[in-house]
Amino acid sequence: MRGLTAVIGLIALLLIYVVPYTVLEGGWALYLFYVIVSLVTLAAAFIETGVWGRGS
Amino acid sequence: MEARLALGLLVLALYLSLGTLLALLSRRRLASLTEREYYIAGGRLGAFLSAMTYAATTYSAFMIVGLVGFAYAFGVGSLGFELAYFVATLALLTAFAPRVWRMARERGWVTPGDMLADLLGSRALAVLAGLIYLVALIPYASAQLKGIGEAVAGLAGGSSDAYVYGVALGIIVMIVWSLVAGIWSVAVTDALQGLWMIFAGTALLAWLLGKINGTIGLSATADTLVKEGLMSLDGFWKFNVFLAFTIPWVFFAVTNPQVVQRLYMPKDERSLAGMIRWFGVFGLYYTVLVTLIGLLARAGSISGILPAVEDKDQVTPTLLSLAHPLLSAMVFTSIVAAAVSTADSILLTLASSASRDLSLRAGERSVLRGVISALLVAAAMVAVAIKRPLYIVGLSVASSMMLLPLAPVTIAAWLGKRPGALASVVSVLAGEAILAYEVAELISAGKSLKALFVIAPWSLPVPAWQLIVSTAIALLALLLKRS
């Protein structure tokens, strides 16, 4: 799991820079897009840090 | 007006009394008067306090005042800008925090300057970083102090005497809460402040939702925002502007000493993990919350159920003037809380940096020296804030760009790479030189420093050039060393 959040976070960041200027032109879909990529990154952080300090 | 003022001051007084009581009680946790204990809790903070102090330090009064205004004026791009910071911070923390946390314990780091000097083998870099922290963060902390003064003045109908009282109150609270037990009193009061910010922000959003749902309805509100172009990036959020705003913030977790120092504090890896997780929950919730407040307020203005606001920084004060006095008092107090929690953390971090990183002789390091440094920094903050200068906003805006050139060498150090002492210093100075040149150009053209985020010399924004040049120098040095 090590590096999971870094990879997903980097992809999320890239999407935040690219998608709103190319694919999504606006509307509430753009709002949801921002929230969803952030939620996915947060979920990755929960998964990755869940094993910290447990001798893994 | 009188009743609103009285209630606002009463809630603030209750809040400050509770915070001061918690700060005094936290002295019991202070095991000894060593620098490690005073500035980083001896590496003994649990997950809850670690997360709350990280979040409350990061999220300043900018959120409930500035970001609400940004969302009101410029729409959904404001959410994208703040969430770019959020995802980058989670990625950086999970990638580097365990290593930094472990090395801080093994090598006895107290300040980010200790870390840079140790990992990059350059005492000069620690001194340079200490100076950059002071130049960049005193205006930023002064802006928080000014924010408290403005909030108190606003509550008292714009009185300039009230502004001075607000600044005086703010600095006294910051000094007491940061010095009475060092990081212990900061962390405990940060927890209170973070919870207050969440509670008050949620209550304000609920009130606004109720007001809008009871009049124009949520569906019509959503349509209005789309129709008025607030749900697209057309207009203000040109790609270069978005880049200029986000680049310094993407590296905030690496360049800002008050948050880097917080990586040294958790008592074990599980607390460190908890810090990242709960900071994430706090950050995402609070960001969505404040941007929704801004967007709904704009829809309310367009539909005529709320007054139109010309100055985006006046959106939250306008909402407070319309809300129930008790809600208004709670949110007003949360603005003070957010400003204090950011500024007292910066005050303590600058004190530790000034007394350690800028100290020429190691033997002179002591908590007393740090306390004296903190009082000097506090005096500088008041000296700037009391004049109520307009340029303070510009300077605090520029602060994120001043810190940015520290990012490449810090990340290189965290990756175990050493570009060398001279190259590290040159890398940082080159980034600062680019900023200094652009600032001089703007001043000579009579423009505001806010334009730093809009100009794009040679088609790229200023932070992009800073990052490219500083990174290129560090990389070149690494390649030369290898060859």
Side-chain angles (χ1 to χ4, degrees):
Chain A
M1 291 299 173
R2 189 160 167 70
L4 176 73
T5 317
V7 171
I8 289 185
L10 278 177
I11 294 170
L13 197 57
L14 194 67
L15 291 175
I16 285 174
Y17 282 120
V18 174
V19 170
Y21 292 95
T22 52
V23 185
L24 278 177
E25 289 186 352
W28 283 93
L30 181 55
Y31 188 95
L32 280 177
F33 161 77
Y34 285 137
V35 174
I36 288 168
V37 294
S38 303
L39 269 174
V40 170
T41 311
L42 180 60
F46 263 78
I47 293 167
E48 183 172 351
T49 59
V51 296
W52 289 6
R54 291 183 186 168
S56 64
Chain B
M1 186 66 198
E2 294 272 309
R4 194 173 280 273
L5 173 64
L7 193 58
L9 293 178
L10 177 68
V11 172
L12 180 64
L14 286 173
Y15 170 80
L16 294 179
S17 304
L18 180 59
T20 305
L21 180 67
L22 287 174
L24 290 169
L25 288 175
S26 72
R27 278 186 70 85
R28 294 177 186 172
R29 312 278 290 270
L30 189 68
S32 61
L33 262 184
T34 60
E35 287 186 299
R36 270 189 69 75
E37 184 67 27
Y38 195 72
Y39 297 126
I40 60 165
R44 292 188 294 117
L45 279 192
F48 175 71
L49 282 184
S50 296
M52 293 308 285
T53 191
Y54 197 100
T57 298
T58 299
Y59 292 115
S60 68
F62 168 76
M63 295 293 281
I64 194 69
V65 180
L67 195 61
V68 166
F70 257 80
Y72 181 95
F74 307 129
V76 70
S78 312
L79 177 69
F81 147 61
E82 193 64 29
L83 289 181
Y85 153 77
F86 175 79
V87 298
T89 299
L90 282 182
L92 287 165
L93 287 178
T94 49
F96 295 114
R99 188 181 302 178
V100 175
W101 171 80
R102 203 171 302 117
M103 285 194 291
R105 297 175 94 78
E106 289 166 2
R107 302 178 183 214
W109 300 336
V110 173
T111 67
D114 291 339
M115 173 189 77
L116 292 173
D118 184 8
L119 293 180
L120 295 167
S122 171
R123 177 92 190 101
L125 186 62
V127 174
L128 178 61
L131 288 172
I132 293 171
Y133 297 153
L134 280 176
V135 175
L137 291 177
I138 285 180
Y140 184 60
S142 300
Q144 306 296 323
L145 203 51
K146 182 170 179 274
I148 296 173
E150 299 289 1
V152 173
L155 206 62
S159 150
S160 56
D161 281 350
Y163 174 81
V164 176
Y165 294 142
V167 170
L169 178 71
I171 199 68
I172 290 169
V173 173
M174 287 171 199
I175 289 173
V176 171
W177 289 12
S178 60
L179 297 187
V180 73
I183 191 62
W184 285 107
S185 45
V186 167
V188 167
T189 52
D190 274 356
L192 171 68
Q193 293 172 105
L195 293 173
W196 194 290
M197 285 155 65
I198 290 282
F199 179 70
T202 305
L204 183 62
L205 178 62
W207 168 77
L208 196 54
L209 274 171
K211 193 171 178 65
I212 282 181
N213 198 33
T215 49
I216 49 178
L218 292 179
S219 174
T221 301
D223 291 343
T224 301
L225 287 168
V226 174
K227 226 178 284 171
E228 295 292 325
L230 287 153
M231 303 309 290
S232 85
L233 303 188
D234 296 340
F236 180 78
W237 293 109
K238 303 269 185 300
F239 186 64
N240 268 340
V241 173
F242 191 77
L243 266 184
F245 269 89
T246 50
I247 288 174
W249 285 93
V250 158
F251 294 97
F252 185 93
V254 178
T255 57
N256 275 250
Q258 71 276 21
V259 289
V260 172
Q261 203 171 30
R262 272 156 178 72
L263 302 182
Y264 308 166
M265 297 176 190
K267 67 180 176 189
D268 50 32
E269 274 197 294
R270 292 186 77 165
S271 300
L272 181 67
M275 179 185 97
I276 295 170
R277 285 201 291 264
W278 297 113
F279 157 74
V281 172
F282 185 111
L284 184 55
Y285 178 74
Y286 198 53
T287 302
V288 170
L289 180 96
V290 295
T291 47
L292 264 182
I293 291 172
L295 288 170
L296 291 175
R298 181 63 182 272
S301 292
I302 294 166
S303 308
I305 62 164
L306 294 171
V309 186
E310 292 295 322
D311 176 1
K312 63 182 177 358
D313 289 337
Q314 289 303 313
V315 176
T316 301
T318 303
L319 292 177
L320 296 194
S321 71
L322 300 169
H324 186 278
L326 184 60
L327 173 60
S328 173
M330 301 283 290
V331 179
F332 160 73
T333 301
S334 88
I335 294 171
V336 175
V340 169
S341 62
T342 296
D344 67 358
S345 300
I346 290 175
L347 182 62
L348 194 65
T349 296
L350 288 181
S352 67
S353 176
S355 70
R356 286 178 70 88
D357 303 337
L358 301 181
S359 164
L360 295 177
R361 284 179 290 186
E364 289 181 353
R365 293 169 178 172
S366 69
V367 168
L368 178 62
R369 197 182 159 93
V371 169
I372 294 167
S373 302
L375 294 175
L376 290 173
V377 170
M381 284 162 56
V382 172
V384 175
I386 208 77
K387 290 180 186 163
R388 224 171 173 171
L390 292 173
Y391 66 81
I392 198 174
V393 178
L395 279 180
S396 60
V397 159
S399 71
S400 61
M401 291 190 199
M402 283 185 220
L403 294 167
L404 181 62
L406 291 164
V409 291
T410 306
I411 290 176
W414 288 356
L415 288 169
K417 310 289 181 196
R418 292 176 67 142
L422 181 63
S424 299
V425 170
V426 171
S427 164
V428 174
L429 285 178
E432 300 299 349
I434 291 171
L435 179 62
Y437 175 79
E438 295 299 339
V439 166
E441 288 273 292
L442 286 177
I443 290 172
S444 65
K447 290 183 181 167
S448 158
L449 293 187
K450 289 182 188 175
L452 280 170
F453 286 105
V454 183
I455 56 174
W458 299 292
S459 304
L460 277 179
V462 178
W465 283 116
Q466 289 180 284
L467 195 61
I468 289 168
V469 172
S470 291
T471 305
I473 292 171
L475 278 178
L476 190 65
L478 283 171
L479 287 172
L480 285 174
K481 277 187 87 176
R482 187 178 287 182
S483 66

